[in-house]
Amino acid sequence: MFRTSDGPAALRRRSVNRILVLHGLSSFCYGMVFPFIGIHLAARPGIGTGGVAVYYGVSGLANLAVSLLLASAAVRLPRHALGITGLLLWLSCFLLLTGGDTLAAAAAAAVLGGAGQGCFMAAIIPIVNSLVPPEERRQVFARRYQILNATLAGGSLVAGLFLTVFSREAITWLLLANAVGYLPVAFALGMARRVPEVPDGAEVPEAGAIGAAPTADGAPAPLGIGLLVRASLGAALFQFGAYAVGFSQFEATAPLVADRLMDTGIGWISVMLTLNVVSIVAFQRPVTRLLEKRPEEHGLRIAVALWAAALVAAGVTAFGPEPVRLGGLLAYAVLFGLGECAYSCSFHPWLISKVPDRELTRASALCNSMMGVGMFFGPSLGVLLIGARHAAWVWLPLAALCGLVALTTLRRRTRTAAAVPVSEPVPVA
């Protein structure tokens, strides 16, 4: 229950903190299972290695389909209900994985998981935004990213220690723990429905942002899909590029390059991933403080520049002896982490500035769909570059592609902005 003496700002702050902490708990639980989902599925006689590809492919398609439905407004749910629905779908996915022994069960779990991701990712940003005044937005989104990275890494570490003591059959218990971990977040979102949101008029959209003309009764009309795409096109394209050239390459391509083309061994790959998380946790706050007075586009360009510098460092050192190659790989991990710090405090505030608040769920869904496409396309690009048989010819072309990602941050004045008045943000229940 809320104390009657609490003002709206205090209630919002407490609600945001509750969401971030419990979201971090769910991230810790997910960290315990995400490295082992493929191992678990491949060990099932009725699923096997081929079933792992089916699971991830179907999950990606389900996420994309749900995200596009939400962006098109073919399905409209209040954002809190949408977020809770996504969490319950995720819970159902992992419960099904604990006992599913057939390819059909794996595919069904993938549909639930992909749909859950599409719903939750479209809802969480508008929910947090509705509770945060504009001047605190960057700090809150940066703190969210910092918490999620730290807890994900912590969960993976705990699970690794757990599985060294118990057999691989214990992965089932980790899947169950992860499923239960979504319930506290659902509780936090349910509680947030009762919290007064940031008042209308707390923010004026940037010049050139698209609003919707009012209807006959004075209520703002929803944006058509064409106007929505035009308003959030830069953000959606950046999200595609960031995941196709940045995140997917770090998560999928970099370990393959290190193992197959640089002969580093599994241990150094673990060091690289750990160093990346440590750099995010250590530098997130200073980077956020450095960028908070600058335009969001500036922060995103710095993020892309740091990613390009990381790739160049890895590419140039790939021509050297083994200690130099290892140094370049670790420099890549640190520089990429610094770029993530700039990304995390800039991207979502940038997206929020592009559209009225009532359309933020749809815009988030559109960006989430492009994120999914980027994660699908990125590893394929990495595998194609690995065919060149030298690490430098993987890293350096990716560095060049970062320039195309940076182009998506150029400020655009929408042609229809003068003809279509910007309406006040209207909170959605």
Side-chain angles (χ1 to χ4, degrees):
M1 298 293 293
F2 299 130
R3 295 194 297 268
T4 56
S5 59
D6 287 335
L11 292 175
R12 286 193 289 268
R13 190 174 299 111
R14 186 174 302 136
S15 183
V16 167
N17 289 336
R18 183 189 300 118
I19 290 172
L20 294 184
V21 169
L22 295 180
H23 196 182
L25 173 62
S26 74
S27 175
F28 179 89
C29 294
Y30 182 65
M32 293 193 300
V33 300
F34 91 89
F36 309 113
I37 294 173
I39 295 173
H40 172 78
L41 292 174
R44 298 286 177 171
I47 299 175
T49 305
V52 177
V54 170
Y55 173 82
Y56 284 105
V58 171
S59 178
L61 290 174
N63 178 22
L64 178 62
V66 169
S67 297
L68 291 176
L69 280 174
L70 293 172
S72 68
V75 176
R76 294 183 71 93
L77 288 175
R79 54 193 170 203
H80 296 87
L82 184 64
I84 293 170
T85 298
L87 290 166
L88 294 179
L89 288 170
W90 256 338
L91 182 150
S92 302
C93 163
F94 285 97
L95 286 181
L96 186 54
L97 287 179
T98 61
D101 289 321
T102 66
L103 189 60
V111 171
L112 292 170
Q117 183 181 26
C119 292
F120 181 77
M121 294 301 293
I124 187 62
I125 300 306
I127 291 172
V128 173
N129 176 62
S130 71
L131 301 171
V132 178
E135 64 272 13
E136 297 179 16
R137 193 173 283 155
R138 283 191 171 184
Q139 297 94 320
V140 169
F141 282 113
R143 185 155 55 99
R144 172 180 175 266
Y145 195 81
Q146 187 180 33
I147 289 171
L148 294 185
N149 273 276
T151 51
L152 191 72
S156 299
L157 178 61
V158 168
L161 295 174
F162 180 79
L163 293 176
T164 60
V165 177
F166 300 96
S167 69
R168 292 191 177 191
E169 292 298 319
I171 294 176
T172 300
W173 293 104
L174 297 179
L175 292 169
L176 181 61
N178 179 57
V180 174
Y182 293 120
L183 292 176
V185 194
F187 167 77
L189 297 190
M191 292 286 288
R193 296 182 63 180
R194 303 169 54 195
V195 177
E197 297 181 352
V198 174
D200 291 358
E203 174 192 13
V204 178
E206 68 173 22
I210 294 180
T215 57
D217 60 1
L223 293 182
I225 186 63
L227 283 177
L228 179 72
V229 170
R230 193 174 304 173
S232 52
L233 180 62
L237 290 177
F238 181 89
Q239 193 78 324
F240 167 75
Y243 277 84
V245 178
F247 291 106
S248 70
Q249 303 304 330
F250 184 82
E251 295 174 11
T253 303
L256 283 175
V257 174
D259 183 50
R260 296 187 180 183
L261 302 183
M262 301 178 69
D263 298 321
T264 61
I266 297 296
W268 282 107
I269 295 174
S270 297
V271 171
M272 178 189 74
L273 298 175
T274 302
L275 196 59
N276 172 258
V277 174
V278 169
S279 67
I280 293 171
V281 174
F283 294 109
Q284 181 68 79
R285 184 168 295 180
V287 170
T288 303
R289 197 174 292 129
L290 181 67
L291 295 176
E292 63 185 354
K293 301 298 183 183
R294 298 174 179 269
E296 288 91 349
E297 295 96 330
H298 187 81
L300 293 176
R301 291 183 199 121
I302 288 178
V304 175
L306 286 166
W307 292 342
L311 291 162
V312 168
V316 171
T317 57
F319 292 105
E322 182 177 356
V324 174
R325 295 198 303 270
L326 285 175
L329 193 65
L330 298 183
Y332 166 67
V334 173
L335 289 169
F336 191 86
L338 290 173
E340 289 184 78
C341 292
Y343 164 89
S344 67
C345 67
S346 302
F347 177 75
H348 288 113
W350 187 47
L351 172 64
I352 290 165
S353 73
K354 297 292 184 183
V355 295
D357 180 71
R358 69 184 181 281
E359 302 294 354
L360 187 53
T361 299
R362 296 172 63 200
S364 294
L366 178 64
C367 289
N368 183 52
S369 70
M370 296 303 289
M371 177 186 75
V373 174
M375 286 298 288
F376 179 81
F377 176 77
S380 301
L381 173 63
V383 170
L384 177 66
L385 293 173
I386 287 173
R389 309 304 300 171
H390 195 286
W393 310 130
V394 179
W395 304 126
L396 296 178
L398 290 174
L401 288 174
C402 285
L404 296 179
V405 180
L407 289 178
T408 65
T409 65
L410 296 179
R411 184 179 290 271
R412 298 173 178 83
R413 179 174 292 276
T414 307
R415 292 181 182 179
T416 57
V420 182
V422 177
S423 61
E424 291 290 339
V426 177
V428 178

